[in-house]
Amino acid sequence: GHVVRNWKVRWFVLLQDKLLYYKIEGGKKEPSPKGRILLDGCTITCPCLEYENRPLLIKLKTKTNTDYFLECCSREERDSWALDITGAIHAGHPVQVQELHRMKNSFKLLDNISLHDIVERMYDSNTGIKLTRNLDQGNRYKETFTGSALVDWLISNSFAVSRFEAITLASMLMDENFIRPVGTRSTEATRFSDPSEKFLDDSTALYMFAENSKKNTSSKEEVQFNISELSGTIVKQGFLVKQGHKRKNWKVRKFVLRADPAFLHYYDPTKEENKPVGGFSLRGCLVSALEDNGVPAGVKGNVQGNLFKIITKNDIHYYIQASSKAERVQWIEAIKPLT
């Protein structure tokens, strides 16, 4: 409402040049509209994140700078209305309408957008992604965000123009280990190879910043792991040297290989807490020894040899050094049956 800032149910009718809204009485709309929004010169914002507890908003600003906030019943309905309203606003420009429909189901990461820049913006305390506590099947997770919240945030910050594009971009952030799924629903989805299936645009799918991009958070904060990941039988454990994903430096980590479910976790031996600092599912992974003559692409810094590589199903590459050829063979043979 414009006078009293309350929320009321209205029946909307979209015409070519205006949006009419009617009052509902006894389950029926009144014969004459309660009001109208002229679309000529109007600008639309969707998703609109100005109300933190109302994620399904569309904002319309008229040519006279009047703001209208419209709340839909679902994200699908919101995006459908937004697309149709945008089409009506640009009705006199058919080329623009065709471009809007083309962008709805296409994806191309803009040349001037860096994944690192997106993550930096996500961390911003004022305009970044809102982090919340969540409960998933008995497990408590600190500082998480939902899949649909990230999609909305990417669109509202102009990193994507459609939900399809935002989902693909979020999948890239996950593939590059900037964010990681937590909880059963989002973790299970990573088994799919299609970006539209492995990242969930869903308010029940939980995600959080991954270990290698938590530079702006307190050192006391820990990566949360699903209890089921750590419940498997320990098959093998020992110290190996792992290359970091971001700084490409090498650090000693204690690796623990588990089966049922098959996961490989690694721990920081300098910390007293017996909690992993990283890990991943072995389902669909590829593991192989790397030749000692020459340094393969993707490997930086001081390489002593006895190197092997694990590629996850999400195409994340882990480079690991063993202390001897025999130890490398033992680890590879232990990991392969679990992939």
Side-chain angles (χ1 to χ4, degrees):
H2 285 288
V3 180
V4 180
R5 298 290 182 179
N6 54 354
W7 297 84
K8 292 181 178 179
V9 176
R10 293 289 182 256
W11 180 269
F12 280 81
V13 176
L14 176 63
L15 303 181
Q16 185 172 356
D17 60 345
K18 64 178 74 73
L19 188 61
L20 306 179
Y21 54 94
Y22 296 79
K23 189 175 180 180
I24 300 295
E25 289 287 351
K28 296 182 179 180
K29 69 182 179 68
E30 291 185 336
S32 58
K34 181 79 173 174
R36 67 192 68 213
I37 305 171
L38 299 178
L39 298 178
D40 180 40
C42 203
T43 58
I44 182 170
T45 303
C46 179
C48 171
L49 304 183
E50 291 189 28
Y51 290 83
E52 189 174 338
N53 62 337
R54 294 181 181 273
L56 303 179
L57 290 185
I58 295 171
K59 177 182 178 181
L60 294 176
K61 182 183 282 291
T62 67
K63 188 161 59 173
T64 57
N65 289 324
T66 303
D67 291 338
Y68 291 87
F69 293 92
L70 316 178
E71 183 174 34
C72 300
C73 297
S74 68
R75 283 179 167 79
E76 292 77 16
E77 186 181 67
R78 180 195 65 186
D79 295 340
S80 176
W81 271 100
L83 188 69
D84 290 338
I85 292 171
T86 305
I89 291 172
H90 297 295
H93 308 279
V95 174
Q96 285 182 289
V97 177
Q98 291 175 6
E99 181 67 10
L100 286 168
H101 284 275
R102 185 193 67 77
M103 289 192 299
K104 185 183 177 184
N105 292 302
S106 65
F107 176 76
K108 183 180 184 299
L109 184 63
L110 298 178
D111 294 335
N112 61 338
I113 291 182
S114 157
L115 294 182
H116 291 274
D117 293 339
I118 294 174
V119 175
E120 288 285 342
R121 290 274 297 278
M122 288 175 67
Y123 272 120
D124 190 283
S125 58
N126 295 319
T127 61
I129 190 81
K130 302 299 181 185
L131 303 178
T132 58
R133 293 175 181 268
N134 283 286
L135 184 68
D136 181 88
Q137 296 195 358
N139 298 319
R140 294 183 182 277
Y141 298 101
K142 298 188 299 181
E143 300 195 323
T144 58
F145 46 86
T146 66
S148 54
L150 178 56
V151 170
D152 283 351
W153 185 88
L154 289 169
I155 295 172
S156 67
N157 284 273
S158 302
F159 290 119
V161 297
S162 68
R163 300 197 81 76
F164 175 85
E165 184 169 325
I167 290 168
T168 308
L169 188 53
S171 297
M172 294 171 65
L173 290 170
M174 194 162 59
D175 287 346
E176 293 298 321
N177 209 28
F178 287 111
I179 63 173
R180 66 185 299 272
V182 291
T184 306
R185 185 158 165 70
S186 55
T187 303
E188 286 292 317
T190 60
R191 297 178 181 179
F192 295 100
S193 57
D194 188 333
S196 65
E197 295 179 313
K198 68 181 179 181
F199 180 87
L200 299 178
D201 179 9
D202 192 296
S203 59
T204 63
L206 302 181
Y207 299 87
M208 70 187 307
F209 289 114
E211 170 224 358
N212 70 334
S213 62
K214 287 173 66 84
K215 58 186 178 181
N216 291 340
T217 58
S218 168
S219 60
K220 294 181 180 180
E221 292 169 356
E222 299 158 347
V223 178
Q224 300 291 318
F225 289 91
N226 193 315
I227 292 175
S228 64
E229 293 184 24
L230 305 172
S231 63
T233 304
I234 295 178
V235 176
K236 184 176 177 59
Q237 57 184 315
F239 291 94
L240 297 165
V241 183
K242 172 186 167 293
Q243 178 179 264
H245 285 287
K246 197 168 186 180
R247 296 182 181 176
K248 305 299 182 184
N249 54 348
W250 293 88
K251 292 184 179 180
V252 175
R253 293 288 181 254
K254 179 185 177 183
F255 280 79
V256 177
L257 178 64
R258 293 181 173 90
D260 300 320
F263 275 84
L264 185 62
H265 292 96
Y266 47 94
Y267 301 72
D268 186 344
T270 64
K271 295 183 178 179
E272 294 182 3
E273 306 94 350
N274 189 31
K275 293 183 179 180
V277 295
F280 51 91
S281 170
L282 291 173
R283 183 187 292 272
C285 284
L286 298 174
V287 56
S288 60
L290 297 176
E291 297 298 329
D292 293 336
N293 53 339
V295 178
V299 176
K300 309 291 182 184
N302 185 21
V303 180
Q304 303 296 328
N306 309 314
L307 191 67
F308 65 100
K309 177 171 68 172
I310 301 174
I311 305 176
T312 70
K313 191 170 183 178
N314 298 331
D315 200 33
I316 298 174
H317 294 225
Y318 290 85
Y319 294 99
I320 302 169
Q321 294 185 61
S323 60
S324 66
K325 282 185 169 62
E327 185 182 45
R328 177 174 67 179
V329 171
Q330 290 171 8
W331 273 101
I332 292 174
E333 290 180 349
I335 292 170
K336 272 187 176 178
L338 302 177
T339 60

